[in-house]
Amino acid sequence: MDSRTAREQSIEWRQIDDAWQRIDPWLERNAPATWANLLPGASEAEIEALQDSLGVRLPVGLRALWSRRAGVGPDPTPGFMPGESVLMPFEVVRRTYQLKMQLRQGDEEAQRRTGSTEEITVWRPSWIPFAAIGADALSGLSVDAETGRIWYWCEYAERSVQFESLTDFMEEMADVLEVPLLAAEARVGLMNGFLVWGVPQDAAERAAWKPLAG
């Protein structure tokens, strides 16, 4: 690794870490139900084991984030991050990645049989899932380990870039929580001690949801 790359990675780590240090105490004070369901940070050995199981070098931003919080626990947690997403625990990261790679391999085999040269876009080996949307994790967000961009994916093969970097994603979350005007524009609120990104569709939950103010 050259000195420029090392410096850029050091900056990214610090930016992610700084953003989470703004988010974590805010959650503890204002959304204790969300905060209580966050898992502790992963050790370097645990992150290395995940990397080995995926077979892809993990981006430094994800390492920084996961060293702070390695997903959420088993209790249901509303989407508390941008895109109405929630951090995946490592077992869900691993399972999702392996499933998507199996689908990709199936498509590649079909291409070879038909002689098609169309690019495979259902999944790319460099996409590392880190946040799920919905309890079933049939859609979510991934970091492209090659470009740093955050992609949205779902079971219907819809793919789109949502953020240019994990730093942008985390800093937007921190900014929205700290600045009420931004929170209102993003439609972020609290519900029974949970932070909820987006207005719930369920009528009972929507009645309990209150937009951030202050």
Side-chain angles (χ1 to χ4, degrees):
M1 181 188 303
D2 59 41
S3 59
R4 178 177 179 179
T5 299
R7 181 174 180 276
E8 289 174 348
Q9 291 189 356
S10 176
I11 291 172
E12 183 179 4
W13 184 291
R14 186 175 69 251
Q15 289 172 331
I16 298 294
D17 197 59
D18 287 349
W20 191 258
Q21 289 189 64
R22 295 162 60 195
I23 293 166
D24 200 283
W26 190 99
L27 292 175
E28 184 178 12
R29 293 191 306 270
N30 300 284
T34 296
W35 186 82
N37 206 31
L38 290 170
L39 296 176
S43 67
E44 183 176 352
E46 290 170 328
I47 294 173
E48 287 295 323
L50 176 63
Q51 176 174 268
D52 291 344
S53 69
L54 300 182
V56 180
R57 186 170 182 80
L58 296 175
V60 67
L62 278 179
R63 289 173 171 269
L65 175 58
W66 286 336
S67 71
R68 282 286 178 179
R69 293 291 190 175
V72 297
D75 295 335
T77 305
F80 65 95
M81 304 182 82
E84 302 180 30
S85 62
V86 60
L87 281 177
M88 292 176 170
F90 279 9
E91 63 268 21
V92 179
V93 172
R94 186 179 294 109
R95 183 171 66 245
T96 300
Y97 183 82
Q98 292 171 348
L99 174 60
K100 296 300 182 183
M101 287 299 293
Q102 289 171 4
L103 293 174
R104 176 184 172 86
Q105 291 164 7
D107 284 347
E108 288 177 335
E109 291 173 1
Q111 281 188 312
R112 285 193 290 269
R113 290 195 300 270
T114 62
S116 173
T117 58
E118 183 179 357
E119 181 185 2
I120 295 293
T121 57
V122 64
W123 195 260
R124 295 173 182 167
S126 60
W127 288 353
I128 312 299
F130 74 98
I133 300 172
D136 50 14
L138 295 178
S139 62
L141 301 173
S142 63
V143 176
D144 189 327
E146 294 179 351
T147 67
R149 288 178 169 176
I150 293 183
W151 285 77
Y152 165 81
W153 50 267
C154 71
E155 60 178 327
Y156 303 111
E158 180 183 347
R159 306 289 183 264
S160 60
V161 175
Q162 299 296 300
F163 293 86
E164 286 300 312
S165 69
L166 186 59
T167 297
D168 288 350
F169 177 88
M170 296 302 300
E171 289 184 343
E172 175 171 313
M173 181 175 179
D175 290 346
V176 164
L177 296 183
E178 292 179 351
V179 181
L181 178 60
L182 296 176
E185 293 176 348
R187 298 176 70 80
V188 180
L190 297 170
M191 179 187 72
N192 301 325
F194 287 101
L195 175 65
V196 182
W197 207 280
V199 181
Q201 296 183 357
D202 178 82
E205 292 183 348
R206 188 163 58 249
W209 182 91
K210 302 298 181 185
L212 293 185

